[in-house]
Amino acid sequence: MDRFIREIAITEIDGVSIGHAQDNEAKTGASVLYFKRGAQAGCDISGGGPASRETPLTDSMTADNPLNAVVLSGGSAYGLAASDGVMRCLEEQGIGYDTGFSKIPLVCQSCIFDLGYGRSDIRPDADMGYEACRKAMEGCDVSMGNVGAGTGASVGKLFGMERATKSGLGIYALQAGELKIAAVVVVNAFGDVFDPENGQKIAGLMDAERTKFVDLEEAFVEMMTTPQDLFHTNTTIGCIVCNARFDKAKLNKIASMARNAYARCINPVGTMADGDTIYAASTAKRGNGEAVHVDINFAGTLAARVMSAAIKNAVMNSKISDEEFLSMVK
């Protein structure tokens, strides 16, 4: 199959642009996917504790209005304030659903919990969301790692931050024929993270001396022999973007198929201690008879593939020294 597929930059997908803003001292941030012509979108929530905003807009039973932006941020539920700034930025440009009285930007958002890294009293706010949206409207920033919503991301937190590993934001895109598809993901998982190509562990729980990785699943089994409270500070959030035309129902299915990437790369995943969420968006021009049409099963299969690679990129581009990591741990 690889001979029919080539790696591309997300900038080759028309209609989407990314902007980041972060506080490098507080170690938190926000990333905005701005859809220049709007986008149909679906959503899959598999984690037990999501922090999200306006996700019902992706339900196939709601009105068929395109999204203007998807926001990924730190700050847990506090970080949802970032969308206020995104809406303000879009409104200033006359972008949004026209009610006849005013234009209302349609914005979905999901957050990770990064309050245990850096400062817990500084979270993404409206000003940070505004800045990230402004940057997305000016151009597409393809930075990865400790940027935007990935600034405070970490993984492998069964025994707290002292034995966790730094993670971040990843991007990956492919083209197969006329289909162009990409994933943007912020990896802040409860579980360990594995390379989807060879199964090797690349991030996650470490031993008490931070000299080697420890199998989190095995430690989890031992830990659960007596009642315990999980470390409720996790969530992997991401967005699939493609240029093919799909309605919201099919995009919800593509988002759910992309969840296979989480299972390939993260273990355990989708727990009640996670808020795992994936959006899927189509930037195809509405009413354009020349839009790309592909089989939903093929699109969903590639969605999982690009998401898997984006998860790996999130980890590999965010590595820092143990000294630097521990200096920011609560």
Side-chain angles (χ1 to χ4, degrees):
M1 184 171 70
D2 286 349
R3 62 192 172 127
F4 301 109
I5 299 174
R6 70 179 182 93
E7 182 179 347
I8 62 171
I10 194 171
T11 51
E12 296 182 50
I13 300 179
D14 188 36
V16 63
S17 186
I18 306 170
H20 306 291
Q22 65 268 342
D23 186 320
N24 288 315
E25 293 186 3
K27 299 300 181 186
T28 193
S31 301
V32 173
L33 283 77
Y34 164 57
F35 303 116
K36 301 174 184 179
R37 299 182 302 271
Q40 290 298 315
C43 182
D44 178 83
I45 299 175
S46 54
S52 56
R53 169 174 169 151
E54 291 276 49
T55 50
L57 292 175
T58 64
D59 191 322
S60 59
M61 297 295 288
T62 59
D64 188 26
N65 298 319
L67 293 187
N68 301 115
V70 167
V71 183
L72 309 176
S73 85
S76 190
Y78 291 110
L80 294 170
S83 281
D84 293 339
V86 175
M87 290 187 68
R88 175 161 52 90
C89 184
L90 294 171
E91 182 185 27
E92 289 176 359
Q93 301 302 315
I95 296 170
Y97 175 70
D98 192 350
T99 66
F101 300 95
S102 65
K103 289 187 177 180
I104 302 176
L106 301 183
V107 179
C108 287
Q109 180 178 357
S110 291
C111 307
I112 67 167
F113 186 105
D114 56 4
L115 304 183
Y117 186 71
R119 294 183 56 174
S120 60
D121 60 340
I122 295 179
R123 286 87 61 161
D125 57 12
D127 289 341
M128 187 179 287
Y130 185 98
E131 180 183 357
C133 186
R134 177 184 60 79
K135 290 180 177 178
M137 297 181 78
E138 291 175 352
C140 189
D141 186 345
V142 296
S143 300
M144 292 188 283
N146 302 308
V147 63
T151 303
S154 57
V155 298
K157 292 171 279 189
L158 179 65
F159 295 117
M161 294 295 292
E162 293 80 5
R163 293 175 60 179
T165 308
K166 188 70 183 73
S167 184
L169 181 144
I171 303 171
Y172 190 79
L174 289 174
Q175 179 171 357
E178 294 184 323
L179 173 66
K180 297 177 181 180
I181 188 165
V184 180
V185 66
V186 182
V187 183
N188 192 62
F190 171 68
D192 295 325
V193 182
F194 299 85
D195 186 327
E197 297 177 7
N198 57 27
Q200 180 181 351
K201 182 172 173 177
I202 56 176
L205 180 66
M206 303 192 74
D207 65 5
E209 293 76 29
R210 295 187 67 84
T211 59
K212 62 182 179 180
F213 287 128
V214 176
D215 188 290
L216 189 144
E217 185 177 34
E218 289 184 6
F220 193 26
V221 171
E222 293 179 10
M223 179 181 177
M224 286 296 105
T225 58
T226 57
Q228 299 278 350
D229 288 329
L230 294 180
F231 199 66
H232 296 280
T233 59
N234 320 282
T235 287
T236 298
I237 53 177
C239 185
I240 297 293
V241 183
C242 71
N243 67 339
R245 179 174 294 166
F246 294 108
D247 59 24
K248 289 198 290 184
K250 290 182 178 178
L251 288 163
N252 276 291
K253 179 59 178 176
I254 290 171
S256 72
M257 291 182 70
R259 193 203 311 170
N260 290 320
Y262 285 17
R264 291 171 190 167
C265 300
I266 304 169
N267 185 49
V269 71
T271 71
M272 295 299 285
D274 292 290
D276 297 339
T277 302
I278 301 174
Y279 297 92
S282 165
T283 63
K285 294 180 181 178
R286 300 179 63 150
N288 181 0
E290 299 179 356
V292 175
H293 295 274
V294 299
D295 178 73
I296 183 175
N297 302 292
F298 181 60
T301 299
L302 286 189
R305 181 166 172 169
V306 294
M307 182 61 78
S308 296
I311 290 171
K312 179 179 178 179
N313 282 341
V315 169
M316 303 308 292
N317 286 279
S318 60
K319 292 185 179 298
I320 60 175
S321 69
D322 275 1
E323 292 76 12
E324 184 179 354
F325 178 76
L326 291 174
S327 71
M328 290 294 155
V329 168
K330 291 279 186 288

